[in-house]
Structures are given as C-alpha cells and as structure tokens.
Amino acid sequence: MGGFFGITERRDCLADVFFGVDYHSHLGTRRAGLAVFDTECGLQRSIHNIENAPFRTKFSDVFREMSGTSAIGCISDTDPQPLLVRSKLGTYAICITGIVNNADELIRNYLDTGAHFEVMSGGAVNSTELVAALIGRKESFVEGIRFAHAVIEGTASILILLSDGSLIAARDRFGRLPVHVGKSEDGRAVSFESFAYQKLGFEDEAELGPGEIVRVTPDGIEQLSPPGKEKRVCAFLWSYYGYPTSTYEGVSVEAMRYRNGRIMAKNDRAAGFSCPVDYIGGVPDSGTPHAIGYANESGVPFARAFIKYTPTWSRSFTPPMQEERERIAKMKQIPVHELIQGQDLLFVDDSIVRGTQLKETVEFLYENGAKSVHMRSACPPIMYGCKFLNFSRATSDLELIARRVILELEGEEGFEHIDEYSRQDTERGRKLRKTICEKMHFASLEFQTLDGVVKAIGLPEEELCTYCWNGKE
Amino acid sequence: MGGFFGITERRDCLADVFFGVDYHSHLGTRRAGLAVFDTECGLQRSIHNIENAPFRTKFSDVFREMSGTSAIGCISDTDPQPLLVRSKLGTYAICITGIVNNADELIRNYLDTGAHFEVMSGGAVNSTELVAALIGRKESFVEGIRFAHAVIEGTASILILLSDGSLIAARDRFGRLPVHVGKSEDGRAVSFESFAYQKLGFEDEAELGPGEIVRVTPDGIEQLSPPGKEKRVCAFLWSYYGYPTSTYEGVSVEAMRYRNGRIMAKNDRAAGFSCPVDYIGGVPDSGTPHAIGYANESGVPFARAFIKYTPTWSRSFTPPMQEERERIAKMKQIPVHELIQGQDLLFVDDSIVRGTQLKETVEFLYENGAKSVHMRSACPPIMYGCKFLNFSRATSDLELIARRVILELEGEEGFEHIDEYSRQDTERGRKLRKTICEKMHFASLEFQTLDGVVKAIGLPEEELCTYCWNGKE
Amino acid sequence: MGGFFGITERRDCLADVFFGVDYHSHLGTRRAGLAVFDTECGLQRSIHNIENAPFRTKFSDVFREMSGTSAIGCISDTDPQPLLVRSKLGTYAICITGIVNNADELIRNYLDTGAHFEVMSGGAVNSTELVAALIGRKESFVEGIRFAHAVIEGTASILILLSDGSLIAARDRFGRLPVHVGKSEDGRAVSFESFAYQKLGFEDEAELGPGEIVRVTPDGIEQLSPPGKEKRVCAFLWSYYGYPTSTYEGVSVEAMRYRNGRIMAKNDRAAGFSCPVDYIGGVPDSGTPHAIGYANESGVPFARAFIKYTPTWSRSFTPPMQEERERIAKMKQIPVHELIQGQDLLFVDDSIVRGTQLKETVEFLYENGAKSVHMRSACPPIMYGCKFLNFSRATSDLELIARRVILELEGEEGFEHIDEYSRQDTERGRKLRKTICEKMHFASLEFQTLDGVVKAIGLPEEELCTYCWNGKE
Amino acid sequence: MGGFFGITERRDCLADVFFGVDYHSHLGTRRAGLAVFDTECGLQRSIHNIENAPFRTKFSDVFREMSGTSAIGCISDTDPQPLLVRSKLGTYAICITGIVNNADELIRNYLDTGAHFEVMSGGAVNSTELVAALIGRKESFVEGIRFAHAVIEGTASILILLSDGSLIAARDRFGRLPVHVGKSEDGRAVSFESFAYQKLGFEDEAELGPGEIVRVTPDGIEQLSPPGKEKRVCAFLWSYYGYPTSTYEGVSVEAMRYRNGRIMAKNDRAAGFSCPVDYIGGVPDSGTPHAIGYANESGVPFARAFIKYTPTWSRSFTPPMQEERERIAKMKQIPVHELIQGQDLLFVDDSIVRGTQLKETVEFLYENGAKSVHMRSACPPIMYGCKFLNFSRATSDLELIARRVILELEGEEGFEHIDEYSRQDTERGRKLRKTICEKMHFASLEFQTLDGVVKAIGLPEEELCTYCWNGKE
C-alpha cells in the first residue's frame, strides 16, 4: 500500500522528513524515496530499495547529499517514488499511495496522443508517472487531479512538491486512505500517519475529506477543491493495516482493537462459549491488541505463547538463498514452550484471508504440544477480494478460504447465499465455520460480526468500506 | 554482553550458523562475526559492524564467501570477534561472552614475556585476543581455559573452533551466563540461547555447569573438565536480559516474568494497595511481560499505552547527526493517546538503575495527559554496580538512584543500612520510596522483593547471583 | 561526448557488452549504463555513476542481476543512459551520443502537446529522453529518427534496443561521429569504436553513412534509410578524441598522428626551423603520437620528459576535498628530471584551446629546470567554438586564446582577418604566434596547417568538419 | 612487492599520505592501508582490498574517519598492512616491504615461547606481524630490527609509526629496496618512491644505506644504526619494477632505460644486425622506454604497434567470472593494425622469465598480420629464480625458459655451463637463442649483456644484485 509524508517549513526540513517517512515503514517493504526542494538546487531526489535494509540505514547519506525547506517522501510497496516530472504545469515532485487497477487502458490512451513514458526494468509504467501523465492532461493541478480521480479505477492519494516549495495534497476520491495535515510554529506537515508528525512536534490541524485537494505552505492550508460527499474509509485500516499508535478519523487503532476484542468476547459469551482455555493470545502483530481486548473482557489471562524475534525479524531481510525461502518464512515466530505445552489456547487473528499462513501457525502450536487451539477472526469472513486497495493480494476471489469452502459445500450456487454463510446464526454459517475448523484443526472458530467491527470503530457504517465482507460498494 | 553460537555437523552448516547467530542480536549492537572451518580452505573469518544495519543485512554476502561443516559466530557488544589465532596449541577460532575487568594487569604480565598483541584502532587489546593469550600460556586447551578462568576477574564463557572442525566450549567459572548444547541428526550446536538451535531443528542435549569444559563433535559431547560446585547464575537474565522466548536453567523468561508480575500484584494487595488505575502497562520491551503477569493477577486491564515503532526502531540505527542524538533517543516510543489521556496508569519496568530514562518516560506520559502514573520495579532496588558482567554500565555505585537518594537522606552513613533501605517494611525503606516518588513524579512506587524474584525464578537462592541487590558475592 | 556499444547475437551477450562498453571509457567520465533484453524478463536496465570508480568495478554485479541475448550500453559524459521508454512505437531501450543544442525549444514544443518528461534531480530533461520524445512524434522509428535529426541542432547518433531483441542504429545526420557494425558467427555488434568489437571476436562489416538508419539482427543488417550525401566527420576524432587504437573512416588514429607529426616536422624544416633541441616530447596523452611522428621525421630523439601516473590517475577519481581540487589537477603529471634539467625541449600538444592548462605545463617544465620549451600544436589555431559537438567546452569564442590575442592586437576588427591570423606566412599570423609565445613563455610556437591535418587524415577536405579552424560549416 | 610511505609533520598530514601512498600503486595490487597518529585518538588504522577498485576510490572516506599529524601507509602485494601492535616496546603501527622466506621456522620459534599470533583467514601468519614479533624479542626497536634483519632470510624494509608521532625507518639489510627521506618546511616524509613526496612539496634529504635505521621527526633525522658495508641494490628496480618517473640511488629509471636501449642497439650493430625492420616497439609498459632508446640509437622509427587500454585496464579489475579469466588477460592489449599489417617489427621487452605471456603477444602480432617479429630482452637471460624479493614468482628454477631450454639441449649437465649460455658469443649461447627463437617464432632474439645493464645503470657492479642473471649473491 505505502504511505507518504511531506513538510514545508521555514527552516531546513530534511531531518523531519527523514524521520517522518521512516515512521511509515510498516506500510511497505520495497522502495522508499525522498524529494527535496531547495531554492538553489531546485528539486533533488533520492530513491532506495529497502528490501534488505531498513529505511534509516539506506538513507543515512541523504544529509550529505541534500537539504531544503520543503520535502516529500514515501514508503512504497510497489514502484519507485517520488518522481520528478516536467509538464506544462511546471516541474514538480510527486508520490502517491493507492493502486490504479485500469492502468493498461489509461496508458494506451495516453500513448495514443504521441507521448511516451520512461519505463522501469521489465517495461512496466511507474504508477506514479501514470498519475502525473493524467494530471498533465489538464490546464491546472486541480483540474488534473480531479481528472485523474475520475478516470482511475482504484485509489490514489496524491502528494506533490512544487518548484516554489509549496505542497499540493489530495486525498483519494472516496477517502479510503487518510491524509492528515499538522502544524507547528515553523510550518506544515502532510502525512498518512498523524503520529509521524506528532512525534516531530506538529499538532493535528486537519484531516482531508474524500477527494479534497489543498495547497499547503508554511503559513497554512488553502482549499483548492472541497471534499466530496461520499466517504468509504477502509475498515481494515483499524483491523489490520494501521500501526497500533495510528489514529484515523479520530479513532485510535489500538483502542479500536481492544473494543473489538471485548465485543468478540461478549459475543462468544452470549453464544454460550465458556472460554475453556488457559490463555488468550494474539497472532502477532496485529492480532495482539484484539486479543488483549478479548482477554480483558473474558477474564482469561492474556499470554504471548509465541513471539516474533523483532531485533532483526521486524522485517524479513533475507539473504539470496532461494532454497531457504520457505524455511525462512517460519523463522520469525518463536514459541514459549511453557505457555503452549499441555495448554488450551485461544488465539485472535486480525482476519482469515487464504488461511495458508494461519494453518501453519496452528500446526506449529500443536507440534509444540498445545492441547487445543481455538481461533477467532477479528473481522467477518472475507468474501470479496479488495478491488480498491488490493490489500488482500488475492488474484481471484477463489483464493479466499471462505469462498473455497462454500464452493466445496454446495458449488457455485452457494455464492448466492454469501450473506448467510457470513453470519454465525444460520445453518450455512455454522457449516462454514465447522468445515474450516476441520481443515485447519481449530478446536473452535468464530468471526467478529460486521456490526461488531462497525461498533468497535464507532463511525457510521455508510462511511466505511465493508466491500470485502459484504460486497457493498 | 553479547552471545555466541556454533555448529559442527555432517553437512554444510553456514546457513544454520547464520540464522543461529542472528537470533542473538538482542544481546549486542556493535559487532558480529563468523568463523567457518572447511577442510579445503581451513579457517575463514568475517566480521562486520552492526551498528547501522541488522546482522542479516550485513552478512548477506557470506554465502558467496565461505562454506564449511563447522562454524562459530557471535554478536558482540564490545570487540570484534571471532578471532583466528595461532599458538603452540594450533590454529583456531575463538569468541567469548563476558567481561575481563583486570585486563590491564593481565596484558602487562603477558607483554613482559616478550610477546605482543595485534591491537585495534585506538591501541586497545581485543578482550578475545587477551583470553587466547592466557589460554596459550598452558600446554593444552583445558589447562589454558582453567588458567584463564582462574586469573580473570569478571566472566568469560568461551567458544573455540579447532582446525579439525570440532568445538571446545567452556561456561564461565561460576555459570553466570548460560551455555547450551543441542543435537540433531546431523550434528551438534553450542549456544547462549537454546531457542536459537531449537528453531533450526536441534533438541536440547545439555546445559553446561559452572566452569565446565567440553569438546563437541557431530557425534557427541566429551567432558574435558567437570563443572565446579559453586553456581551464581545472573538473576537479571530472567528479569531483563533474556529474550522472552529464552529459557535458562530450564526456566522460561516469559513465564518467569508472568509469575514475577503476579507476585508483585499479590504483594501490593497484601500491602493494602487497591490498584486504583485504569490500565496496567509495561515499559517496553522487558517490562511488558512483568506487567501482563501483574494485570492478569490484579484483574485490572492490561493495555499498551505507548508502543515502540519496531518496523525500523527495533534497533536504533541512527544517521550521523550528532545534534539529533537526544531527540532520536525519544523517537522510538509512541503514545496511544486514548489510553493515556485522563487515565490512571500503573507501569512495570524491569528495574530502576539510574532512573534517567524512566524519568523521561513518566514525564512523557504526563505530557500526554496521564492523570497519575504509578511505578513498579520488577526487581529490588539496585544497590551495587555489577562487577561480574558490568551490565548496569554504572561507572560508580553513586550513579545508582537508590545510592544517591540514601546519600541525600543521611549521607554516607546511610550505606550501612542498605538492607533496611532495600525493604519496604522499614522506616528507611519507606523514605527511599517516597523520595524517589517525589523526584520522579510517581503516584506510588514499589519494588519486587528479593524473595519474590527468587520465587518467580524458582531456583535455590544460593545458585543465583543477587549481588546488585544485596551485595552478596 | 560519450560512446555506445550494442550486441545482438544467438547466445548470452552480457559479457561481450560489458567489455565492449568498457572499451569506450576514454569517451566519458560521468555515467555508464547497460540495457539488456531477455525473452523472459523483457528489458532490464542498470546505470551507475563512474566518476569515482572505473566502469568494470561499478558494473561487476551486473552478471548476477541480468542476462540476455541482446544488449546495448554506453559511457556518457552527460546524462544517465540508456533509458527504457514506452511509446506507441512500443517499449525499447535507447542511448545516444552527441549533443542537442536547442533542447529548450524542443522541450517546450513537446510539453505544449500535454505530454510530460520524468526529469532528473535539478529538474533538467534527460537528452536521451528528449530524443525519444521526438522519435515518438512520428508513426515509425525511421520517420521518428529522421524527424529528430531534422529538428535537432547539434549531433545525435542513436542506438535502440527493441523488445524483440533487434537493434536500430542511426548515425548522426552529417556523420560527425562514427557508427560501426561488426559481425561474428554468433551475431552482430554496433559500436562507436570498432576496436571494441574486434577485441571480442567480431570483424568489421560496415560503417554507417551520414544519417543512415539500419536494423541489426544476429543475421545481418537491413538498411531502413540510406545515408545522406553530405558528410562532415569531426577532424578532431583523429587529432584529439580518438583512442590511439581507434580507426574511423578506415583511418587509424595512431597512424594519422604519426603522419601529422611528420608533416609538422617537414613544415618546420621548410620554414627554416633547425630543431635545436635535445628531445621531442608529446603532451600526454594525445600529443604523444604526434610527437613520435615529429621525432621520427626530424631525427631528434623522442623522450618522455613527464609521464602520467596511470596506475591510478588514468582517471581523476578524487576524494571529496574541495580545497584540494586545484592541487589534485596537477598531481597526475610527474617529471623525469634527467630529461628536463638543462635540456632544450620541443613539445607537441594535440591543440591549443584556451591555453590555461598548457601554460601550467610549460611553467612546470621551467620550474623543473628546462632550458627552453618549444611548442607545436598538432592542428591549426582554434578560431571558432564547436557548435556541433561542443567538445571545446568554451562557453564563448572569446575564451579561445587565439581570439583573445587577436582582440588584444587590433580589437574586434581583427576578427575580419581570421584567415590571415591562422596562417603562419602572413604578418598577422606571425604576430599571433609571437604574442602567444610571450604570454606562454614558449621558445617558439607553430601550428599544424589545415592542409597538413587534412593530408594526415587522408580524406577529402569536404568530408571533414573543419569548422573550429576555418568557420566552414 | 609493495611500497610504503609515511609523513610526520607539524600540520594534518592525511591528505599528503593519502596521495603519497597512492603513488605506490604500481608496486602492488592486493591490499592497501593507512595508520594515523593523532594526540587525541592515538593510533587509527584502515585497510582495504584494492583488487577491484583503485586506492583513491577505496580510501575516499578516510578523511571523514581519521586525521593526524603523522601517518604511514602502504600498497601491499601480500598481506594486509599496516598493523597496530602492542608489545613491551609500546603501541605502534608497522608496515614492511620485502619478503620473509623462512617464515615457518621463525613462527615456530616464536610460538615455542608460549606466545601467539592473530592469524588471517586460511590460518596464515601476517608477515608484518611476524616481523613485529621478531622486533619485540629485544629490548629496543634498534636491537629488535637488527635482530629481525639478522634472522630473516629474504628482504625487509620496515616503517614504524610510534605513539609519539615519530617514525622509525629501516632499509633492508643489503639495500635491495630503496628508502628515501624528504623534507619540507612542515616536516619529513619517508618513502619507497622519491617522486611521491616530491610531488607533495618535499625535497630529497637522504637515501638510507643498507640496513640503516633512523628515527624521523618533523625536525630531522636521527641515525639509530649506521648503514652496513655491503650493498646489493636490485638491478630490476630499473629494468622492470620502477615507475618511469622513479629515481633510485640517484639514477632515473626512464633515463636508464633509454641508455639501456641505446646500448642494445649498439651491441646489435656491432654484432652485424642491420635492423631490417619498419618499426621498433616496446612491450608495454616497462619495455617501452627501452625501445625508445633502441629506436633513437638505431634511427628506425619508434611506433606503438599495440597499446594498453589504460582508461580502465591500467589495473586488471575483473568481475567474478572464472571462465573468462584467460580471455580477460588478453583484453588490455589492443593492436594498431596499420602498424602491424605487413610490417617487420622489432620489440623490446623488459625481460623474458617464463616466456608464456610473451609467446601469446608474438602470436597475437602474427595473427594481426606482422611479417616478422624480432625480439630483444632488456636484460640477460634469467638463470636463477630470485630468492631475495621473489619477484620472478617462479616456484622453481625450471619454470625459467632459459633453464628449460638448457635442459632440453643437453640435460642437467648444461647447468654447469650457464655462463656460456648466457653470453651470445659462445656456441651454447647461440644455441639457446636459436632454440628460443624457434619455440617462440621470433625472427631473431638477443639479450642485453650484463655489462650493458650495469653500464646503463651506472653504479659499480658490486653494489648491484645480479643474482638472477649470474647467480652471484
């Protein structure tokens, strides 16, 4: 997915942007970049591959190479960014977060005009260059961004650094992803994560609305285009993507997860589940706070029966040993034998998508002597692959375990009863749970309800995107 | 402190040692190294600085450079290791964990014989080379290691890779630090951390006793020198140093911390503390499981009111910006506002040494709106600077906050009543706690008792080193 | 200036292109790049800065990163190349040699169509991307290249690697720079320098004519557009730019320089110069063979009175020490005292442009005890700054020492008598030489005549560009 | 062989030592190192592998890492240097040039005392550490160096940087290699090559005598031990090893080679050789000036019929492609066809050792169309492998082509007539030349005479080591 961060202020901002971008490292693992504006050198740019070393290590030389009073940067899970672009709108740096699903069509249309793209190894067009090309079709940045938002199928939040040092920020059309603006005595910050600028001394000033476009200078925010009326914030920001310290739409991720866990515990209790286990645990990392909430509500002790080796495995930097890939994938989780051996355990995971990894985790618990493993998903069954952010990375809906089980149980017909399968109080719903339990060797399985998630978040359901659970666009 | 890991087996062991050493990354942040034995090339060696990039990143080229069926490696908080040494005992690789406090005297004696050291930049003798020099004074490795143990003031566990591919391992004289041996179908592993070899498919075979020396081949363990009778395992391995997944003397670190937290909660209850707080939290990382235990016992919800930014801050890789040092130190802890703002909080820290960092943490909580912050130390007041492992890094006892408060309260005379100050049920003990509370703005303060720690560990008190708490050698 | 090299053959060609590009290192010092076509991965690309390490060092990892049966690469004195481009003509890699003098105008026209460029740090458009943009305005590569040649003021030879592995090569419109094609059993090579492919086992197959465009496959050459009638090969390729082992238009650089030196010696003899010197030497590197020719003809011993420190100073890799720049510039030339001290010396330099460096060299010879230093320029006085290749790097004609002396002697009026100043058999010509002698402390000064240069090259004068000497376009 | 360079002066000397060591790059291709003394940090050290990048590239960061008023450094063809050593003589940095042939015995003796070496990958003892160990056996540096000189079989010039910033320099026992001292206003330089410090503003002050030991401070030279009486300067310093700009014992390398070439031409003329060739050329690099001298004397034109590609092949940096090794070896020499095709050529090489490379070179000339290739060796036939500097790298005398031919002609008996074979005016001598001619396809072959070499150098024969030619020690 990725995330971006920018600052425009009255003093050199490079250190702030360096740390601000670094605080987005949980959002991507492939590329990172910085673009800096300096009155003397104009726009400078630096991009590094961060697959095998953390952001701060890779960018440690940047202070010798650049300086400036305005800068933007990003962590990118896809293409190298930011790009420096020159069009009739001027010369500027640009980065985006989101995904363009209809890139092929948009590229074709653009090339038909006789224009070209400078492409990447392999020949693919950089999504950010594509967005810049779309913006450049119109006579101003506002019109261009609106045009890009209109024609892109997918999601694109945009951050632009102009040659006068000011920033243009645009939240994606339906506000699926966040864009925050912070202020300090020295200037302004624009960020995916608000805690990033807060740690750097900025206070919350604004959260852009869906499709809203603003120009940001050290002195303030100028609205270039007002927010749209429809909002569909991705509910997974809280369930899974967000860092525990993140806050979106005023709602803390960590606190939402505690509430969510508590609701699940209450639901379980209401459904007659007596919680016959020794410990409640979370599947790290995002399952953990859901589990804390569940444990706090249920009164069963919370325990960390297996733990990630974070000193070096916070990111899976791997040596070039293809044959070891699979083995390496399992190396970061380490069991605490005394908390597994002979114990009845209940685990909460953030979600169950394809189930592959979770199956391995549960097997690993049984191999380490667990007596029973109950499983809870912190969200409803995923029935539709995400087409707005592509976070589930499922190439087809049939990779989703819920879909596969339905197909197995009653063939394609079953897809007409997805709503029933989703709920726990129907025959189909019980069958789905039972079948998954058998496949995965769960002692029991339950999903958070859609109502439960919405309540834990606390926003009106119509402002949330719940497409992957109920197919509602 | 550092830690070492070695393997001797019937197949290429480099990948195993690569990952095995990496699992010791929590024990040091400065240097790491590998030495490999191969029948064709003999002993090969590679050392890297790991201050600005994780072990796996720095050693990712090692698979192109080396291979072999036996290898040792280490994470070192001090000097570059392992070293390759040639003496009349042969050519071998060696690494150590521990500290040599009387190095100057030992170096002088050695140089007087007309021998020399190859020294490091700055002119200091590498501690590992010093240990090798001591071993070389005698006619065999066993005699040499016994001699080194006898003359070294401090602690030295030793791992040697011989030119025939076998390993010699020696636990330090009083067993302050652990040495485990694991076995698999293919061979044997020697490790500070047993979870390191378990993740690689080895099972526990033995834990060396104090001063015990063994020779390890793929086929088994041969005892070269039996364990001594006196044992003084560092109690801080469980309280603070160990990784949650570590097990020493058969006792799990994570489980010990849960028990320790529970005992603290019981003690508090017994002392009439009603736990008037909204959340229990741990000061990350090592305080967290103590807090989970406390929360589970007290029934007050556990919550993570502030969280480390682990994706990149699991280690404090820092760019070369001296002026930013202090600021950077505070950057890894990020508050969750909803869990702090207007809340009464109780935090458990692993220990209170100088109190500097803890003071900043508490201030940071108040700045973020905490109503009150109660503090619990998971061990008794630290009254004596460690002279066996130097872990407290206090250059003098007077840097210890407990000592400083005693001096303030009644001058040097107070040091005659250290036992009273340590306990909570004496007038002096209450004064100490009250004074620290005032200095640090704690709503309340209590320390785990010595009995409590010992009980949580579960070993006989006489097998534990409790010097830093009660001065008992 | 730069140079390019490409291969398309029936086996993996990466090693050939690696060494083939490396053989163009004398043509540029800033950037180098490779683009490779592989049926599986498509087009891959790698670019490195070669200012501080030689090509082979910087690209030593390329064999782990890429492979393929067709590839192009270049040494570039300006922008990073090759670029990967996608336009309606397809996806391809492109590199150029030459210069685009009217870039601003061409960029403006292109941006007016609503298209964009991805620009470099600082905001400048990459010249190669500009050429690609021009090519993309038309419906085929041939039309596009013809269009680019028509609108570009300057010089652009073009090498393109298509997505089917074939190459398109185009020599610049007036053939100022060379493009050779070589053949072997396995395929074809396209190269600026023919010795590059000869060393790799290819034989000369063709030298493109001015503006000629061809498609090259492993099986042969297909002419896409015939050569133009006007040819203006840069005469400086022989006098200065070419490597001694280079051959252009069938004429060896080294042999041309020997002939050129001999003609100069004959001219001197005819003019009554008795050559009263101990040694003839060349100003390294390109002056040397001119001097060998002169010495061989005159009978005066050739000697290397000062020598470059080539083991590391073949390229001026410099550490980041601004204050040392000037000092470093003088470090590569080292005197041989016995050949200077008390000696009368005659030096041949390839040309005299601004005279700054030559003045320092002569001072350095006098400082080392030379009795007298006679100077010969291997070409006529440079009267016009090059506008086709910009090799003289003079920002204005008035930086040329000949122009400055004329201005000094009789003001701007003198520029009407440039032809006279150029010749040695006129009053004005003698004055020019005398004045420069005085300024530069030469014992005597003479220039090769235009006839002499042309005769040494051996091509018809009308096929050579002699603009910088006589202003003839 | 390697070379060292050191400075002690009243200002920061790092830049001077950086460039001074770089000027020794022609003497080694494997390792380079610097050690710097600074009153604050003591002795600092940096070593890099220079096999794949030039010295200046590899050490470009050293200015950020170190500074100081005294420093030493070296280019090493063998082990990493300088080393920092601590012994009862103090802490110091040390580097050497030369070779220790009886290392095994010396190491054994040292280890028997109970001391140790820190060894290199593979287990070998660093020669420099061995020399330091020998020095440390005695009570002072002077006694220690004398002891080392006495027991070492081979050659060892030594440069030491003490902890007070002064230098100790010792020329090897018989003065086979040079040690120069230069002075400037700011201090003193010690160097293998005198042109190195001359380019940095130092003037010649002294050339140490054989075995002489001095202490050097910024203020002057103090003799610690006087020179010995016997001197055996390696004659190959002039014939082959020295850089053309080098001067040893007051004799310029370039000028010696011109004289040497002239003597060869005179000898040839006297022997009735009419020099029926079109061009005289040198086998680059060291053969070139011998050839210039020959050409100047003979009146036949000098020409460069093949030329090294110096822009990147001045050093053979090679990518990790084992299979390409042989091919790469031939890549640096590039033919100039017009100077070879159909021509009769005479080449001068510095020497003929095993003849392998020369054979390939001659084949390459014939393949390029040479009509005939006459060969001249700038020194007599090499009959004995060097045992003092090991420069011939022949593991046994029988690798020498002269020995092999003698063996072929009359078996081991022939070795009793080596003197006859060496001379050209004997039957045996003529047979040797004829046989080599046939093996190597030379049109004719002659060697410089011993008298000729000695005369070209200009020193008394007894001060030169001529062992490899006549076996005289």
Side-chain angles (χ1 to χ4, degrees), chain C residues 16 23 52 57 308 327 331, chain D residues 16 23 52 57 327 331:
Chain C
D16 281 354
Y23 279 135
N52 280 304
T57 300
K308 254 170 99 169
R327 182 181 165 202
M331 293 191 79
Chain D
D16 281 354
Y23 278 136
N52 279 304
T57 300
R327 182 180 166 203
M331 293 191 79

Side-chain angles (χ1 to χ4, degrees), chain D residues 49-67:
Chain D
N49 184 326
I50 55 167
E51 288 171 309
N52 279 304
F55 176 86
R56 292 207 310 285
T57 300
K58 280 302 185 80
F59 284 82
S60 62
D61 282 343
V62 82
F63 296 95
R64 282 208 302 273
E65 295 161 5
M66 300 175 169
S67 66

Side-chain angles (χ1 to χ4, degrees), chain D residues 210-414:
Chain D
E212 185 175 359
I213 310 174
V214 297
R215 188 161 167 274
V216 182
T217 65
D219 300 317
I221 306 175
E222 176 194 356
Q223 193 184 63
L224 302 182
S225 182
K229 278 170 196 150
E230 279 188 82
K231 190 191 266 189
R232 293 280 182 279
V233 189
C234 173
F236 260 89
L237 284 173
W238 291 278
S239 300
Y240 166 52
Y241 267 129
Y243 201 72
T245 57
S246 301
T247 295
Y248 309 119
E249 305 285 327
V251 179
S252 154
V253 164
E254 182 80 357
M256 176 275 179
R257 290 176 185 170
Y258 291 174
R259 284 194 297 272
N260 196 58
R262 281 188 183 271
I263 294 169
M264 292 167 74
K266 283 178 194 162
N267 289 350
D268 265 0
R269 199 187 301 136
F273 182 73
S274 64
C275 212
V277 300
D278 298 298
Y279 299 116
I280 308 287
V283 177
D285 290 335
S286 29
T288 297
H290 295 291
I292 290 172
Y294 192 108
N296 285 339
E297 179 66 31
S298 69
V300 177
F302 170 74
R304 305 187 298 182
F306 63 100
I307 293 175
K308 252 169 102 169
Y309 190 67
T310 48
T312 58
W313 287 97
S314 58
R315 286 269 318 280
S316 299
F317 306 129
T318 51
M321 306 156 64
Q322 292 307 326
E323 71 279 18
E324 300 273 343
R325 274 293 145 108
E326 206 183 335
R327 182 180 166 203
I328 289 168
K330 301 178 185 174
M331 293 191 79
K332 64 177 121 174
Q333 307 286 24
I334 304 174
V336 179
H337 299 292
E338 292 189 43
L339 302 175
I340 300 177
Q341 180 75 37
Q343 307 295 324
D344 294 296
L345 303 169
L346 183 149
F347 273 91
V348 188
D349 201 353
D350 51 65
S351 57
I352 304 178
V353 182
R354 271 162 300 190
T356 332
Q357 221 177 331
L358 191 56
K359 191 174 179 191
E360 283 177 6
T361 300
V362 171
E363 277 166 11
F364 150 93
L365 288 164
Y366 282 120
E367 281 164 15
N368 278 281
K371 217 159 84 191
S372 68
V373 180
H374 299 259
M375 189 58 59
R376 294 297 175 268
S377 161
C379 69
I382 295 183
M383 293 293 186
Y384 302 86
C386 174
K387 62 182 191 187
F388 305 110
L389 293 168
N390 206 24
F391 75 88
S392 48
R393 287 176 187 254
T395 46
S396 90
D397 283 357
L398 277 180
E399 291 188 31
L400 301 168
I401 188 169
R403 286 262 174 177
R404 275 190 287 120
V405 165
I406 293 170
L407 196 67
E408 202 178 308
L409 288 176
E410 56 171 327
E412 299 211 348
E413 261 193 59

Side-chain angles (χ1 to χ4, degrees), chain A residues 43 84 86 110 116 119 122, chain C residues 43 84 86 110 116-117 119 122:
Chain A
L43 291 162
L84 303 189
R86 183 157 162 196
Y110 180 71
H116 73 279
V119 296
Chain C
L43 291 163
L84 303 188
R86 184 159 163 193
Y110 181 71
H116 74 280
F117 290 105
V119 297

